[in-house]
Amino acid sequence: MATMIVPNSIAFQLSANSLFFLFLIIFCSSCKTTYAFQGTKSKSFHHILHLNSLLQSAACNSSTQGLQHQKSSLQVVHKHGPCSPLHLDRAKTPPTHAETFFQDEGRVRYIQSRLANKSGSKADVKVTDVANLPAWDGRVVGSGNYIVTVGIGTPKKQLSLIFDTGSDITWTQCEPCLGYCYQQRDAKFDPSVSSTYSNVSCNSVQCSSLLSATGYLPLCSLSTCVYGTQYGDSSFSTGFFAKERLTLTPFDVFDNFLFGCGQNNQGLFGGAAGLLGLGRDQLSLPSQTARKYNTIFSYCLPSSSSSIGFLTLGKCKRYGSKSVKFTPLSTSIQDSSFYGLDITGISVGGKRLSISASVFTTAGAIIDSGTVITRLPPDAYAALRSEFRQRMRRYRMGRELSILDTCYDFSKYKSVNIPKISFFFRGGVKLTIPLVGTLYVANVSQVCLAFAANSDTSDLAIFGNTQQKTLQVIYDGAGGRVGFGTKGCY
């Protein structure tokens, strides 16, 4: 019997049964849950932040009042928050702020190196090479903060998956875990009890397509296709490449959905059962459901971990609204998985910063649901920080927080004025970052500007998920554009 080498030198043998899969996320158009920053916007170029709003609720505010329900929508929750199904696992404590940024750095390095080496020899790397790379310490994977619950198999099994616009292949941990499975909240998917599971053949076109989706050549175990995917910290998943029924909602059921049935998985995925890939490759969820949704999806990330957001497949109700501004996807990003943006400028408090256009075009930029803090070219961040500090000079500086070097101690104030930050994108699109996306709050004495600098001008800029909070972000793959709408959720 043919075998495959997996991490820890555990033999990985073929098992041809049924499977499980996972999928994605949430509601369409305007949810109304507690806004972490409850201050109202001033009529000037400032936000008013009321300090009593910085304390987040320990309970889930699950109200959906005002939400524009759509059939093809799923709920999106922060994986460590009280609204998450993983929150009930008392054995798992949320990461500290330092750990969060450590994870974020791993993800950023992975994305930047992947794009920097886009002309490299990924085709020469095999799954066995991935499998033999140890995860640093098993703590980080850098694959995102937000999860959705989808159904896999027949009968349907509900699984909580991390959704990620920077990844393509969807995978979940599967019994019998011939190599290793990390601890997850949901019971692991057992393909042997699903009537709709089938393995993908090694000789199939689908198996060959794994190279572009994962960057690694597939292998075979007997005649079954074996996938391997790795993340920024060397965490990974390997297993059988398979087909299964995916149930997103009662109205949205897809047979023969291609996914990874993980038999050897290492890294801490926050108790989630796997990952839902929302990238642009042909194996991603948007591409596999393109006949119905035309590679269009949107989401809104909630303002806090105690609130709920949404992910909608297909055109949402605000798709054609004048309140949504679209910018073309960048043509400078060669990797087919990522959604590129062309940043043309930044303003602080209504003042357009003096930043050369070449600062943004040298390495380009992407939007990413899994990166927490937006990374900017060094010169762009220096200009942003300088102007922000100048306008905040009346307030006392606080201790730096890991990669965040501009922090304030607001403990003696009841309210403060925060200058509005706006990004400009190709096509004349101006996006004013919500207050909740401007600041990262450790505590009232350590409230930080939620942006960081890249280490080099050649490093890709990344528009992260903190800056996306409460916005409705619309990905129109068919139209080659990304749209932004305000007040998508709260």
Side-chain angles (χ1 to χ4, degrees), residues 415-486:
S415 64
V416 296
N417 290 331
I418 308 296
K420 295 179 181 178
I421 296 174
S422 297
F423 273 61
F424 298 85
F425 301 103
R426 184 159 62 103
V429 173
K430 176 184 178 181
L431 173 64
T432 298
I433 307 300
L435 177 57
V436 70
T438 303
L439 303 173
Y440 185 96
V441 181
N443 53 64
V444 72
S445 300
Q446 201 173 23
V447 181
C448 306
L449 178 64
F451 297 84
N454 283 327
S455 59
D456 193 88
T457 57
S458 62
D459 291 334
L460 179 83
I462 303 176
F463 192 72
N465 64 39
T466 295
Q467 284 63 47
Q468 298 174 49
K469 288 180 179 179
T470 74
L471 298 173
Q472 183 163 10
V473 186
I474 301 174
Y475 295 75
D476 182 356
R481 58 183 188 165
V482 174
F484 300 96
T486 59

Side-chain angles (χ1 to χ4, degrees), residues 142-465:
S143 55
N145 310 92
Y146 298 93
I147 61 173
V148 293
T149 300
V150 301
I152 298 293
T154 306
K156 175 182 66 177
K157 177 168 179 53
Q158 296 291 103
L159 294 170
S160 299
L161 301 180
I162 298 166
F163 78 92
D164 186 5
T165 59
S167 298
D168 294 301
I169 188 172
T170 296
W171 62 268
T172 187
Q173 297 198 115
C174 289
E175 296 289 6
C177 287
L178 296 174
Y180 175 84
C181 282
Y182 61 84
Q183 186 178 0
Q184 65 179 55
R185 174 67 184 178
D186 302 320
K188 290 183 286 293
F189 180 73
D190 186 350
S192 68
V193 299
S194 173
S195 63
T196 47
Y197 176 90
S198 63
N199 285 316
V200 170
S201 168
C202 286
N203 299 322
S204 65
V205 174
Q206 294 94 332
C207 187
S208 300
S209 64
L210 280 169
L211 176 59
S212 65
T214 66
Y216 299 99
L217 286 169
L219 290 182
C220 286
S221 180
L222 294 182
S223 60
T224 295
C225 185
V226 175
Y227 78 94
T229 187
Q230 183 184 5
Y231 302 97
D233 61 347
S234 295
S235 297
F236 59 83
S237 174
T238 62
F240 303 120
F241 195 43
K243 297 179 181 180
E244 184 54 287
R245 174 171 292 172
L246 173 66
T247 301
L248 304 180
T249 75
F251 309 96
D252 301 272
V253 180
F254 299 89
D255 289 324
N256 298 315
F257 183 83
L258 295 164
F259 77 103
C261 194
Q263 294 291 325
N264 200 77
N265 320 283
Q266 292 193 26
L268 181 63
F269 293 82
L275 186 142
L276 182 67
L278 294 178
R280 301 177 66 190
D281 187 83
Q282 59 182 323
L283 290 184
S284 70
L285 175 66
S287 295
Q288 289 198 58
T289 58
R291 287 188 177 181
K292 182 167 186 177
Y293 304 131
N294 199 27
T295 64
I296 296 172
F297 67 95
S298 63
Y299 60 68
C300 182
L301 305 180
S303 62
S304 74
S305 62
S306 58
S307 300
I308 294 176
F310 64 82
L311 181 134
T312 297
L313 281 302
K315 291 184 178 180
C316 64
K317 293 182 179 179
R318 296 180 67 186
Y319 177 83
S321 170
K322 293 182 179 179
S323 64
V324 176
K325 305 299 182 184
F326 284 94
T327 181
L329 287 172
S330 176
T331 57
S332 66
I333 302 301
Q334 300 301 313
D335 193 298
S336 63
S337 298
F338 297 102
Y339 297 89
L341 296 176
D342 288 321
I343 302 173
T344 59
I346 300 174
S347 69
V348 178
K351 177 184 176 180
R352 185 83 173 242
L353 302 179
S354 180
I355 304 172
S356 170
S358 64
V359 168
F360 295 112
T361 58
T362 297
I366 64 168
I367 182 172
D368 181 41
S369 68
T371 299
V372 178
I373 299 296
T374 289
R375 301 308 205 280
L376 295 172
D379 288 350
Y381 177 70
L384 169 63
R385 177 181 61 185
S386 177
E387 186 66 27
F388 188 85
R389 285 183 175 182
Q390 174 66 19
R391 291 172 181 268
M392 294 286 288
R393 63 187 181 277
R394 75 187 73 173
Y395 302 112
R396 178 183 176 183
M397 297 287 288
R399 291 182 295 109
E400 294 184 4
L401 180 60
S402 183
I403 60 174
L404 305 182
D405 62 8
T406 301
C407 302
Y408 296 88
D409 181 354
F410 293 147
S411 58
K412 296 183 179 180
Y413 297 90
K414 291 185 178 180
S415 64
V416 296
N417 290 331
I418 308 296
K420 295 179 181 178
I421 296 174
S422 297
F423 273 61
F424 298 85
F425 301 103
R426 184 159 62 103
V429 173
K430 176 184 178 181
L431 173 64
T432 298
I433 307 300
L435 177 57
V436 70
T438 303
L439 303 173
Y440 185 96
V441 181
N443 53 64
V444 72
S445 300
Q446 201 173 23
V447 181
C448 306
L449 178 64
F451 297 84
N454 283 327
S455 59
D456 193 88
T457 57
S458 62
D459 291 334
L460 179 83
I462 303 176
F463 192 72
N465 64 39

Side-chain angles (χ1 to χ4, degrees), residues 32-35 57 59-64 82-83 306-308:
K32 225 176 190 177
T33 53
T34 303
Y35 192 21
S57 173
C60 177
N61 185 341
S62 58
S63 170
T64 57
C83 296
S306 58
S307 300
I308 294 176

Side-chain angles (χ1 to χ4, degrees), residues 86-93 185:
L86 312 181
H87 179 68
L88 299 176
D89 190 347
R90 304 298 182 188
K92 294 193 175 297
T93 58
R185 174 67 184 178

